Structures are given as C-alpha cells and as structure tokens.
C-alpha cells in the first residue's frame, strides 16, 4: 500500500553499461549482476506501474465517491486514470462465504452491485473477471480510515442468477477469488477479519484489463533467482564486465568437441541427392566456425535449403551462440525446423538431451511444432496451456505424464504429500463451513472442548479413537468427528449402526463407485462397527452429569451456538489462516514430487516446446534436465529479460532466429521505449538480438549475424521497398515473378495521396487517445468493395492494416455491415478493453469456416507480423498541420507494414506528412507518380461493371450446391450423434435412480448432500444441451441465413432456394433435453414427497422441483407452438408431429394446466393424428407414439412412455448422408437420394384416413381393468382437479 500511495518515483537504472550504476561489484560477474538488476527493475516497473496507477485512482474513488453514483442503484463502472489506464470498478462489496479450494487454498466469495449492462447472461460475454486474471480489493477501514489493497486471482465468475437464492434480486452478482500472494498471512487474516465482522470497512473491487499475474510474476521471480543462484551462460558476450574488450570470436558448442561427434544432416537431404552421407564432424565445425561459406555449396546442393539458409545452417551449427536475421518471407521458421532436425538426429542415445524450442507466441509455437511433427520428429512435448489447436493435446505434459508408469519410489514420494493435501483440504473445508454458517465441525470445536468441557470431550473421544491396523490409518484420522457430526444433527446414538452410507459420505467416499480416498470398504465397515461398539460403553465414561446423547435436538443446537460464541471469530480466523499456510506448504511438497515424474517424462522427448512466459514458469523443472541446446524463434520480438530466462546454466548451444528490424517487443510503459526520446536510456523494448547487433554503447563492436537473403513472399516490385530501405542484399525467388497482376488495377502498388485532416480527438470519449481518419475509412471501404466486385478476389484475399486502434474500430464499424470481419484475438481484446467497440461490435463476423463465407481481415500493424495477404491496403491515418507522424515514424513498424503483400500493396495517406520521416521519403520517391484510382471494366469482356454486386454473387454461387451438400452431411452427423447420446443418457440416468433413492437421507445433517444429489441429476443433460444450443446458434442458423440470402438474389434455374429443417431438428433435440430434465425433476419430487422427514427439508426440495417443472413446462409448450408454426410453413409434417409429441409430454409432466392449455393440446393431438394419416412414410411412423402420448396426458401412462415406441432409423440415416447425390423434393427439402428413398421430411401424401385403432371393449367392460386404470390415472397425478387430462368427463348427474 505504501508503494501505491508513494509520490516518489522508483529508482530506474540506465541500460548502458558505461553509465553509472549503484552496484559497485567488480570481477567476471559484475556485468551479469548489473544486467539482471537493471532488467528486473525495468520489467517490474513496466508490469506494475499500471496496477499502481489504477489502484491509486481506485483509492481516490473509494475515499471520495462521485455523488451521482451514491444516489442511484446503477453506476458508471468503467473508469480511466489521468494517465489513460482503463479499469473496471465495482461497488457495494459484501463477503458472502469462505471456501477452501483443493489447489488454491482459501477462496473468498464476494458479491457486488452489478450494473444493468452486465446483469444476467451479459456478464459471461463481457470478458470481465475471466479465470486466472488479476483483480484487487481496495478497502477503507471504518475505524482508523486506513486504506488497504489486497490482490486476488479470479477462480469463478458468477452472474446475477447465482445470487438470486441469496437475495440478490437480479441486481447483485458474485465472484470467487483466491489470494494472489498465497503465502501472505497478513492478507489472509485481514480479509477473514473483515469477512467475520471483526473489522469493518468499505470496499471496491477493481478488474484490471486482461492482466494475468502469471504473465510477469514468474519472469520476475526467475530474474531474482538468476541474480542470486545461477550462472548465466555466454556471460562474456551477453553481459561483459567491460563491453569494449569483448572477444567476438565464439567457439563451437562444448558438446560438439567430444571424440567422434558429428552432426548428421541426412534428414535434410533432397530425395534426389547423390552424396551417400551428409554430416559435419568436429574438425569441419572448427573450419566452419571461421569460414561457414566453405560448406554452403555442399549444403545447398544436397539439401532443400537455399543459399542463405545453407550458410546460416553452417554458422549456427559451428558456433555456441548464434543469431540469424531473416527479412520478411525468407523462411526463418523453415531454417529453425532444419536446425532442430539436425541437432536431434545427431544426439547420442545415452547422453541425448531434449532440444528446447522457444517462441514468443502460442500461435508461432504450435506452427513450429506442427512442422516438426510433419517432418518425422514426433517425440515432442508442449508445455503451457495456451494452445488453441486440438492436435497438440496428446503432446501436453499432463497427457504424457499420465501415460508413463510410476516407479515404486515415485508412487511413495507422491502419496504422502497427496494425502496431506487432501487432509488439509478437507479440514479447511470444514473450518470454512463453520466460519460461514452457524454450524460447527469437530476439528473447530475439539480443542475448545478439551480446555473448557473435558467431560463432554471424553464422551466424544471414546468414539474418536478406535483401534485398527495401519491400512485404515487415513480413515481413522477422518472418522474422528463422525460421532460429533451425528450428535449435532440430532441423531440418536443407537442409530449409528444404520448410518453406513452417511459414514462413507462423511469420509469422502462415494459408495456407488467405490473408494476414492485410499480407505477400503472393509476398513469403513470395521471402523463403523468399532465406533458402534464403543458407543455402547459410553455410560461408563460419563463421570458426572448426564450423557450428551440424552440431550434433545434443541438443547444440542443451543449448546453448539454457545460453543461457537465462546470460541469467537478471531480463533476461527487464526486457525483457518494456519490451515491455509500448511496447505500451501503441502502443495509445494506435492509439486516437488510431481516434478520428479515430469522430469523423467520429459527426458525421453526429442523436443520440448514452450513460450517465453512458460519457460520462466517451468524453469525449476527444465533446469533439472540439464538442457544443452535452445532454439528461439521470433527472437527479435522477445524482451531481453525473457530471453535470459531461457538461458539455463547447462546451455551450451543457443540459437536465436528473428529480425530486429521488424517489430520490437511490446511493452506497457512508453517511458521505457526506444521510440520515445526519454526511453532511449532504458530501452526495455530492445531485444538481446537488437542490443548485440546494434550496440548503443560507444566503442562496442556489433555481432555479425547470419542473414537469410532469398524471399518467397512479395512480388519483386513490392520487395523493392525493402531493398531500397533496409535489406539491399535481398533477392527474389523465381516463384515471386509469377505472382499475377492485381485484377482491375492498373498498378500493382500505389500511394493514394490526400490532405484530408484526421478526426479531432474528443476528450469525452473513451477513445480520445487513439487517432482515426473518416476520409481514409471511406476510401478503404470503397477500394475493398471495388476489388471484391471484380470477382477475382474473395474477402480473405484482402487485408487492411492501420497503426491505430481508433482507426481499426472505425474500419470495423464501417465494414461489418457489408461483409464478415476477422479480428485477431489481441486486436479484439484491445478494442473491447479500451472502450473502442462493444463486445457485440468486436465479435468475429463469420464463425462458420466454410468456403461460402469469406472474412475480411482488419488488423493493427503490430498484430499482423508473421501474416500475409494477396492484397494489402494500409491506412496511415495521420494528416495534420503540426507534422505529427505518430506511430509510423518507427522503421520497424514501417518495415512490417510494407512487407505483408504478395500481389498488390496500396497505401492511403498524406504523403507530404509521411515524407517527414526518412524511410517514408524513400518509399514515396520509389513509388514514382502517385496515380488516382484507375477506371477499368470487366476483366473478362471489357464492358462496364454496372451491376458488380450481382456479378460477384453469381461468381460465388457456382460452388454453393457442393457447399450445401457438405454442410448437410456435417449437420446430419451432429444430429445423429447427439440423438444417440441423448438416448444413452436417458437410459443411464434411469438406471441410477435406485441408487439416488438409497442415497437420500432425511434429517438436518444431510441437507447439503441431498441438495447435491438433486443438483447432479438435474444437470445431467446440461452439457449436451449447451453443445446443441451453441452449434444451432453459431453454425446452423448463420449458415441457413447466408444460403437463403444468396438464393434470394438469383433465379431458381441457377440455384434453387432450399427449405431447411436442421435448425428445427436441433431445436427439437434441445427441447428433448429440457423434457428429460423436467421428467427427472418430477420423478425426484414424487419420491421425495413420499419420504418421512420430520425436518421437512426433503418436502421443501420437492416443492421447489415441482414449481420449476410447472414453470418450465409452460414455457416450453409456448416455444413449441412457435416451432410448429414454422413446421407448417415449411411443410415438415414429420417434424411437426415430433414437436407435438414433446409438447404433449410437457403437458403431461406439468401439474398446472388450465383449460386453454388443455384445449390446445387436444387440437394439436388431433392434428398430429391427421398428419400421421396423410403422410404415412414420414409422420406415420409416430402413430404409436401419438397414442402413448394421449394415454400419458390422460394419466393412464407415465409421461416417460411418450417415446417408448419412437422409430430411430431416420436419426441414424441423417448421420450417413452420402454427398454427391443432393436432390430436392417438391417442397424444396434437400436430401441425398442414396441415403433416402424419398424425402425424409414430408414423403408422399395420401388422402385416405388411417384405419381406426381397434378397441378392446372387453377391457373396458372388465371391472378390475377399469378400476386399475382409474387408480393409475388418479395416482399418477391428480392434476389440479383433473384439468390436465385430455379426456373430457361429464358433469355429475349427466
């Protein structure tokens, strides 16, 4: 808190080695100590200054809240500091309860006043309070008015719906938080004191914009460790004591000097290469160290490497510390893969060590590892959880470690800390329950009874210590409080022998699945038997007074309350804080034991891939492996502090590949940036690559990196920009000369010059610190439409670049109405967090990844490095009279912007202003004349494109039937799979109902376990229901809308308008999930109502379930009515009947059906029968189901029987849709003629009514059968006086 309120700026040393520094050390480690200290201070300032700035502003708001926010229930939750740091602030904080997490320890659940904008489902789509993100609780004490700030990590975000049961009334939301500094006992105790009312104060909750604690804390910690404990390899070159005396001669890697070593390069050979063997021996490595070009021709001839790559490979293998500069499009990743293959192929089996592959981003890492796997290096491991591609899952550390068999020693070392963690978790949970409720656990009252009530303690103690063998040791430790648990629950001691299930549950064992905590069933049974046996001798133990077991439930409750008051909240807080501390120690011991297993798992891998951030996180584990080789991709984008964390003491060969002339590392504080005048002394955004290649210290010689020189991306005309500015040695691959000219444009590249001023900044807007230019937005939009209208390009072929977030937001708003927009994850988060766009506006425009839908890429320059497009359109934005060029004055950013295009590159901007920058001046001069937009005609016939939109659409429509055919096959597979899964879940849930009945226990001691059992069964279908809904809303509906839009713009002879049924079929599956959920709720409620429970807690649960069933049934009945209207309009008789069956089942399930609902059900049933008769091939298959549904609504059958006779073959057939045979029925329903004999949706229509179902009159004349039917009807639901029955009874006496 002192640092937050301090007005004194932190000490920040300069990065230059010739400038003064407070460290006066001398010797060979002086340079290393100074460098590590400098980088630590700079990185810490960059990581925490924004946090400090935001917390300071939050303290001001808490101390002096705005008057308008006090007077209203809604308030402004988005704020910004005077420095421009944006944050979210939430008020009216209340401590709800304390929880204990298995891996995080103590967790606090807080509630807060939720602004209207975030209530309900909007909280989950807001991007706020995401798991793992850093938040702060800023408090003001009521007594001494002291400010405090406690940092937390988000465990679980909960909407306003979660607080309704606690009186939130839809206006309060909640959140679960774990301590960011889990070892800080002061933070833990302070928060617990406030939660228990020992201290009182006001709080606000601060959500930082996408700030992940693990993103910087691990790196800072590792820099500290390296400063105090570990040697930095290559220190004489990276951090010399005297930079002016550095010897630029770098020796070959140490491991290559062993006798007989050679690099095996045969894995890089061309298939047609003649040379039988390709390798570099240690002698040849010494030669290549001084003259790498002597092997260039041999490598270039025998491998797939080009001239620059061959030279770089030779140099990288022959030097221990190497840097390779690769201009845009020169194959840096390909070189990295080749180097990895060469090193892996040369490893000696006995001494082989994994190669460490490090990348800056998860995307680049996944791409690099994928290339390795495709090239045959399959023994890879991917560390970290940032991958978003499915193929990496088998290569994660978790998956790999689960596959190896543990040794006896490993199992033993892991068992002890695991048992301790579980025990402390259980103990902490019980203390939290005692703290958050009026209940007391045995562990929380035991010491108090020992001191104050020894006689009572001895009575419980007699049940706590049964003698048993070592095999039951864990159960004995957990079983100690069972007697106290039964006593406070009001149970009689004589009933102990009947509580075997509750005893097992108390020990944390699920009796239905077996033991999960290490105690066998026999141990549990024998333990309970011993406790029961000892309970019979309690009379001999009572020395005075009466037995505690003779007390009434009311007396026991009063006694528990008395003990809790005597213990007091401070004792609870101190004890819970101590348990949390011991739990963290146990977790650390468990982590160390797990590291032994992980290390053995990783030792067998050929390559270990991870990001720079993950490298710091996993540093202790990787250090144990004795790694020798590291290959770092994107080295020019990596902060030097992160780079040093990848250099383990055992590293002998470090290879860095990148380009310091492209984008630099991204930092938060521009005051430390090379791009600002004051930041040039600190240069935090300077990579190690750039510092050594372009040293700023006078007299220091630069390193000479390898340079790739053959680019394969840009047409030579576009590559001329790079040659004229930064890469005069750059050559063009032959394939680049074959890039086609831009269709419809006279020039492959041009600069559209203008002098229209940029938009004025509005200080009232959240985006006032970012620039935009409305004129350029319209020009870009016009050029995009012109290019797309020419038919030669899809949206995905064009990318728009801009340096400013403000312009990015303006372009997105302008273009999203006319085409699908793709924004990178980083850009999207920046726009939303910065207030430029709402969540909906920044949503990716096309989530269906099929050929029919193209997406226009719009990005900031900083987030487009490594990407390319056929055509690049760049908006420079800045146009003013003050000569302010802004972000585009940096050569690195200019370089990236001008090297992304393959075929065409077009700049829209104020050329006169940009020419104030030397590099832009060269580009403008190199462009020659600045032409206007050319006026050309159709590239095919030369005629004017008067109707270009229709022309473009017709061009795309030619492949629409194929796309439609493929998507129907995909939808069919999904529908078939989910229907099968639904049926299987129904059967499994019903099979487990008897177990549920056995588990339900009456009495106050089983309230939570009963609620959990009901909740588990109630959520049985939640997963499949969510998957169906997401697929319906995110894939099927958008696809159907797009196809229908295209069909509406053309003639039927070109593309027939289809009549879709899949959205309705998925909605039917969704309703089926809801139906089964309500049927299960009804089944549970009927069982609970029949139980004898003096506390009536089971009856209360049953009433809640029945109320939910009635409300949800009515809602689903209304929704199905709308679906049936759609079915009628689309002529889908089979689907209409299926929906009607579900509607009738909902009707039979509910107990509150009025006359109108009954009348509608009768009408729908009659129509369903009529459809079954008219369409016997499709709807007719459900005739028996209709009869069963009628019997269910009449009370003669349970509602579950509605689908007992359901035909399932058509569901299976949809999953076998054969592509290439798409046809349409007369009603426009698409289907495969190979899969179906006729249309599966409507089929043939006949005019004959189906024969009446034969009536067994004898069953109605038989008195016994009649009475049994009547009893079933009355017993299965006296539906509010019988109003839910479809059978209309006559009035008495009629």
């Amino acid at each position: 808190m002192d640092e937050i309120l301090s007005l004194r700026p932190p000490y920040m040393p300069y990065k230059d080695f010739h400038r003064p520094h407070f460290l006066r050390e001398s010797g060979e480690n002086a340079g290393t100590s100074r460098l590590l200290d400098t980088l630590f201070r700079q990185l810490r300032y960059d990581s925490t200054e924004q946090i400090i700035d935001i917390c300071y502003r939050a303290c001001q708001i808490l101390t002096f809240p705005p008057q308008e926010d006090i007077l209203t229930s809604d308030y402004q939750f988005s704020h910004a500091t005077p420095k421009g740091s944006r944050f979210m602030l939430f008020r009216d904080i209340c401590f709800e309860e304390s929880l204990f997490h298995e891996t995080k320890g103590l967790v606090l659940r807080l509630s807060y006043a939720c602004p209207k904008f975030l209530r309900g489902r909007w909280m989950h789509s807001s991007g706020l309070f995401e798991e793992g993100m850093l938040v702060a609780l800023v408090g003001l004490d009521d007594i001494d008015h002291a400010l405090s700030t406690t940092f937390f990590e988000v465990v679980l975000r909960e909407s306003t719906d979660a607080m309704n049961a606690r009186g939130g009334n839809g206006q309060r939301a909640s959140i679960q938080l774990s301590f960011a500094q889990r070892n800080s006992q002061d933070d833990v105790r302070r928060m617990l004191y406030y939660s228990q009312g020992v201290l009182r104060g006001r709080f606000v909750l601060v959500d930082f914009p996408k700030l992940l604690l693990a993103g910087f804390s691990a790196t800072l910690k590792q820099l500290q460790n390296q400063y105090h404990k570990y040697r930095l390899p290559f220190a004489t070159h990276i951090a010399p004591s005297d930079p002016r005396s550095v010897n630029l001669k770098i020796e070959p890697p140490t491991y290559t000097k062993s006798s007989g070593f050679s690099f095996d390069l045969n894995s890089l050979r061309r298939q047609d290469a003649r040379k039988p063997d390709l390798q570099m021996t240690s002698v040849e490595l010494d030669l290549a160290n001084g003259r790498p070009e002597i092997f260039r021709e041999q490598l270039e001839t025998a491998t797939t490497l080009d001239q620059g790559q061959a030279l770089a490979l030779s140099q990288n293998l022959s030097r221990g510390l190497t840097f390779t500069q690769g201009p845009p499009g020169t194959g840096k990743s390909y070189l990295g893969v080749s180097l990895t293959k060469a090193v892996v192929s040369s490893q000696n089996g006995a001494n082989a060590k994994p190669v460490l592959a490090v990348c800056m981003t998860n995307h680049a890492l996944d791409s690099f590892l994928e290339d390795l796997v495709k090239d045959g290096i399959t023994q890879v491991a991917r560390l970290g959880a940032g991958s978003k591609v499915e193929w990496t899952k088998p290569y994660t550390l978790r998956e790999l470690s689960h596959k190896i068999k543990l040794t006896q020693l490993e199992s033993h070392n892991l068992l002890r800390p695991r048992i301790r963690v579980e025990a402390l978790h259980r103990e902490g949970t019980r203390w939290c329950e005692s703290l958050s409720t009026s209940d007391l656990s045995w562990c929380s009252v035991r010491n108090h009874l020992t001191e104050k009530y020894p006689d009572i303690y001895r009575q419980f103690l007699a049940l706590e210590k049964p003698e048993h063998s070592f095999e039951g040791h864990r159960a004995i430790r957990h079983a100690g409080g069972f007697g106290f648990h039964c006593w406070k629950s009001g149970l009689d001691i004589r009933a102990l022998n009947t509580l075997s299930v509750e005893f097992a549950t108390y020990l944390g064992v699920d009796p239905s699945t077996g033991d999960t905590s290490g105690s066998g069933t026999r141990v549990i049974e024998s333990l309970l038997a011993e406790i029961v046996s000892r309970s019979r001798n309690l009379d001999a133990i009572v020395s005075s007074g009466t037995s505690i077991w003779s007390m009434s439930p009311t007396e026991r409750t009063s006694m528990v309350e008395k003990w809790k008051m005597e213990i007091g909240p401070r004792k609870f807080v101190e004890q819970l804080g101590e348990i949390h501390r011991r739990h963290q120690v146990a977790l650390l011991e468990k982590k160390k034991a797990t590291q032994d297993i992980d290390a053995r798992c990783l030792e067998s891998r050929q390559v270990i891939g991870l990001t720079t951030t993950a490298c710091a996180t996993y540093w202790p584990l990787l250090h144990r492996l004795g790694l020798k080789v590291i290959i770092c991709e994107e080295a020019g984008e990596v902060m030097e502090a992160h780079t040093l964390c990848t250099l383990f003491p055992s590293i002998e060969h470090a290879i860095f590949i990148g380009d310091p002339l492209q984008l630099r590392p991204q930092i938060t504080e521009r005051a430390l940036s090379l791009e600002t005048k004051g930041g040039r002394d600190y240069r935090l955004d300077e990579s190690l690559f750039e510092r050594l290649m372009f040293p700023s210290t006078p007299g220091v010689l630069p390193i000479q990196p390898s340079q790739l020189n053959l680019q394969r991306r840009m047409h030579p005309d576009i590559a001329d920009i790079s040659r004229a500015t930064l890469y005069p040695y750059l050559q063009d691959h032959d394939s680049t000369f074959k890039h086609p000219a831009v269709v419809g444009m006279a020039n492959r590249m041009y600069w559209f010059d203008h002098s229209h001023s940029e938009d004025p900044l509005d200080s009232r807007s959240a985006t006032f610190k970012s620039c935009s230019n409305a004129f350029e937005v319209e020009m870009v939009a016009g050029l995009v439409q012109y290019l797309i209208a020419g038919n030669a390009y899809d949206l995905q072929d064009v990318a728009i670049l801009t340096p400013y977030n403000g312009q990015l937001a303006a372009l997105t708003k302008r273009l999203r109405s006319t085409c699908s927009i793709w924004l990178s994850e980083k850009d999207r988060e920046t726009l939303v967090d910065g207030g430029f766009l709402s969540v909906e506006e920044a949503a990716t425009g096309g989530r269906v990844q099929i050929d029919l839908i193209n997406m226009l890429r719009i990005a900031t320059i900083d987030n487009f490095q490594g990407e390319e497009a056929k055509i690049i359109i760049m908006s420079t934005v800045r146009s003013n009279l003050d000569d302010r060029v802004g972000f585009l004055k940096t050569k690195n950013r200019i370089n990236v912007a001008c090297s992304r295009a393959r075929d065409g590159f077009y700049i829209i901007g104020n050329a006169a202003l940009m020419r104030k920058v030397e590099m832009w001046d060269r580009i403008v001069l190199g462009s020659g004349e600045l032409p206007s937009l050319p006026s050309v005609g159709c590239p095919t016939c030369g005629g004017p494109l008067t109707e270009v939109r229709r022309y473009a659409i017709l061009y795309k429509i030619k492949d629409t039937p194929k796309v439609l055919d493929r998507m129907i096959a995909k939808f069919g597979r999904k529908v078939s799979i989910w229907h099968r899964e639904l049926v299987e879940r129904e059967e499994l849930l019903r099979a487990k109902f008897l177990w549920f009945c056995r588990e339900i226990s009456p009495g106050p001691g089983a309230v939570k376990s009963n609620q959990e059992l009901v909740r588990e069964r109630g959520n049985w279908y939640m997963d499949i229901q969510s998957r169906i809904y997401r697929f319906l809303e995110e894939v099927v509906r958008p696809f159907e809308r797009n196809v229908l839009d295209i069909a509406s713009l053309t003639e039927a002879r070109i593309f027939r308008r289809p009549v879709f049924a899949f959205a309705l079929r998925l909605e039917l599956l969704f309703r089926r999930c809801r139906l089964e959920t309500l049927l299960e709720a009804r089944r549970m409620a009927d069982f609970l109502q029949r139980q004898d429970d003096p506390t009536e807690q089971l009856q209360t649960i049953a009433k809640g379930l029945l109320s939910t069933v009635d409300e949800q049934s009515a809602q689903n009945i209304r929704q199905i009515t709308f679906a049936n209207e759609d079915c009628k309009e689309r002529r889908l008789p089979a689907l209409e009947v299926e929906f009607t069956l579900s509607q009738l089942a909902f009707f039979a399930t509910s107990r509150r059906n009025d006359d109108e609902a009954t009348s509608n059900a009768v009408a729908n049933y009659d129509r369903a029968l009529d459809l079954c008769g008219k369409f016997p091939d499709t709807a007719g298959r459900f005739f028996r189901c209709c009869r069963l549904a009628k019997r269910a609504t009449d009370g003669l059958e349970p509602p579950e029987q509605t689908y007992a006779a359901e035909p399932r073959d058509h569901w299976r057939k949809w999953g076998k849709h054969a592509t290439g045979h798409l046809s349409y029925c007369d009603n426009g329903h698409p289907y495969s003629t190979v899969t179906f004999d006729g249309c599966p949706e409507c089929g043939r229509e006949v005019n004959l009514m189906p024969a009446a179902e034969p009536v067994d009159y004898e069953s109605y004349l038989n008195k016994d059968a009649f009475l049994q039917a009547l009893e079933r009807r009355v017993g299965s639901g006296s539906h509010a006086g019988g109003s839910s029955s479809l059978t209309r009874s006559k009035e008495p006496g009629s």
Side-chain angles (χ1 to χ4, degrees), residues 626-638:
L627 303 172
K628 295 182 179 180
V629 182
I630 172 181
I631 297 178
C632 179
E633 277 235 321
E634 302 175 317
E637 291 186 74
V638 182

Side-chain angles (χ1 to χ4, degrees), residues 487-528:
W487 176 81
K488 71 177 180 179
S489 300
L491 299 176
D492 188 21
I493 191 171
R494 290 170 294 183
L496 287 178
N497 59 345
T498 65
L499 300 177
S500 58
V501 174
E502 184 164 352
F503 182 58
T505 305
Y506 181 81
L507 297 180
V509 178
D510 185 350
S512 66
T513 59
D515 176 42
T516 59
S517 60
S519 307
T521 305
R522 289 175 299 174
V523 174
I524 293 175
E525 293 175 352
S526 58
L527 274 175
L528 182 60

Side-chain angles (χ1 to χ4, degrees), residues 487 490 548-558:
W487 176 81
I548 56 174
W549 294 95
S550 64
M551 300 173 68
S552 68
T554 303
E555 291 173 328
R556 297 181 189 185
T557 302
S558 300

Side-chain angles (χ1 to χ4, degrees), residues 751-810:
W751 188 311
F752 184 88
D753 186 21
H754 71 87
S755 58
H756 292 267
S757 299
E758 62 196 60
D759 301 336
L761 297 177
D762 184 2
S763 59
R764 296 171 296 178
S765 170
T767 62
F768 74 95
K769 289 204 171 184
S770 189
C771 301
S772 61
N773 191 310
F775 174 80
E776 292 189 11
V777 169
E778 293 302 319
M779 290 302 302
V780 170
L783 182 54
V784 169
Q785 292 174 0
Y786 176 83
L787 291 169
I788 300 303
N791 299 330
Y793 302 103
D794 292 326
L795 287 172
Q796 61 192 6
D797 297 328
V798 181
I800 303 171
L801 301 184
T802 180
Y804 290 96
N805 289 318
Q807 187 76 343
L808 180 67

Side-chain angles (χ1 to χ4, degrees), residues 118-355:
L118 299 173
R119 292 173 187 169
R121 62 186 177 88
W122 294 108
M123 172 59 73
H124 296 297
S125 60
S126 65
L128 301 174
F129 295 134
E130 292 188 352
E131 183 180 358
M133 295 300 170
L134 187 70
V135 298
L137 192 64
V138 181
L140 179 65
D141 191 81
D142 286 346
I143 305 301
D144 59 7
H145 303 291
L147 288 164
S148 63
T149 300
T150 309
F151 294 100
F152 294 90
E153 288 182 295
V154 177
V155 176
L156 181 64
R157 170 183 59 195
E158 300 174 326
S159 68
T160 51
D161 297 336
M163 281 298 297
N164 286 338
R166 291 175 173 261
N169 298 323
Q171 297 182 358
R172 296 187 66 80
S174 58
I175 185 173
Q176 295 182 21
L177 305 173
S178 64
F179 289 89
Q181 298 173 291
R182 294 180 190 140
N183 294 325
S184 174
Q185 287 294 296
D186 291 339
D187 286 352
V188 172
R189 290 193 180 96
R190 182 173 66 251
M191 287 296 99
L192 287 175
Y193 281 144
Y194 278 115
S195 70
Q196 295 305 301
V198 177
L199 299 177
R200 296 186 180 275
R202 293 187 293 113
F203 294 89
V204 293
L205 184 62
V206 177
D207 182 31
F208 302 101
K210 304 290 183 184
L211 189 58
L212 192 64
L213 179 64
F216 62 88
S217 60
T219 304
L220 291 173
K221 182 66 176 177
Q222 189 48 45
L223 288 174
Q224 288 180 318
N225 291 337
Q226 285 184 297
Y227 181 88
H228 293 290
K229 300 179 183 178
Y230 302 109
R231 178 187 69 87
L232 181 68
F234 312 110
T236 55
H237 298 279
I238 295 175
S241 300
D242 184 3
R244 297 178 181 83
S245 61
V246 174
N247 181 10
L248 295 180
K249 172 70 174 178
I250 301 175
E251 295 296 323
T254 304
Y255 70 88
T256 64
K257 298 180 179 180
S258 59
S259 176
F261 177 85
S262 64
F263 278 115
D264 183 0
L265 306 180
N266 289 298
S267 59
L268 309 180
R269 290 165 52 87
R270 296 177 186 270
Q271 293 183 355
D272 57 348
R274 297 181 179 178
K275 188 176 179 63
D277 193 28
L278 187 64
Q279 61 180 8
M280 292 180 67
T281 64
S282 56
V283 176
E284 291 172 326
L285 287 172
D286 287 332
L287 292 175
N289 185 270
R291 296 179 58 195
E293 65 277 2
I294 63 176
F295 292 97
R296 184 196 66 197
E297 183 176 353
Q298 179 183 353
L299 291 171
E300 189 178 358
T301 302
T303 68
T304 56
L305 302 172
D306 61 40
Q307 180 183 10
Q309 291 169 339
L311 186 64
L313 181 81
S314 175
Q315 186 170 347
N316 277 282
L317 295 180
S318 62
R319 297 180 183 178
L321 175 64
T322 64
F323 296 87
T324 299
Q325 181 189 13
T330 52
K332 295 185 287 294
S333 296
Y334 186 77
L335 175 64
V337 171
S338 300
L339 285 166
T340 306
K341 291 166 63 178
V343 174
V344 168
S345 301
S346 309
Q347 294 272 17
N348 189 328
N351 300 318
K353 299 289 184 181
V355 175

Side-chain angles (χ1 to χ4, degrees), residues 964-1032:
L964 180 61
D965 197 14
R966 292 199 302 271
M967 293 308 292
I968 289 177
K970 177 180 179 180
F971 295 164
R973 287 193 298 271
K974 289 284 189 181
V975 164
S976 178
I977 291 171
W978 281 331
H979 178 265
R980 184 173 67 249
E981 183 178 349
L982 176 61
V983 172
E984 291 172 352
R985 287 188 180 223
E986 292 173 10
E987 296 171 352
L988 181 59
L989 184 63
R990 292 175 187 177
K992 294 186 67 175
F993 186 70
L994 290 178
W995 177 85
F996 166 78
C997 297
R998 291 195 300 268
E999 290 299 295
I1000 290 293
S1001 302
V1007 175
K1008 288 189 176 180
S1009 61
N1010 291 338
Q1011 291 175 342
E1012 187 59 34
L1013 287 170
V1014 172
R1015 186 181 299 110
E1016 179 184 354
R1017 294 182 71 82
N1019 293 333
W1020 189 258
Y1021 298 95
M1022 186 64 68
D1023 175 50
I1024 181 175
Q1025 178 179 303
S1026 299
R1027 282 184 279 134
I1028 292 172
Y1029 182 78
R1030 285 198 304 270
F1031 189 73
L1032 172 63

Side-chain angles (χ1 to χ4, degrees), residues 648-702:
F648 297 87
S650 59
I651 292 293
E652 300 174 1
H653 195 178
I655 300 171
F656 296 96
I657 304 173
D659 186 4
L661 294 180
Q662 295 188 56
L663 289 181
R664 292 191 174 102
Q666 295 186 7
I667 63 174
T668 303
E669 294 298 320
R670 287 187 54 80
L672 302 180
S673 173
L674 265 168
E675 298 181 11
T676 62
K677 185 176 181 180
R680 293 171 189 167
D681 291 329
Y682 305 106
R683 306 194 307 280
L684 179 60
D685 57 346
E686 179 184 57
S687 64
L688 175 66
F689 199 158
E690 183 175 7
R691 179 169 70 84
L692 297 182
M693 187 173 175
F694 305 107
S696 59
T697 303
V700 176
L701 298 176

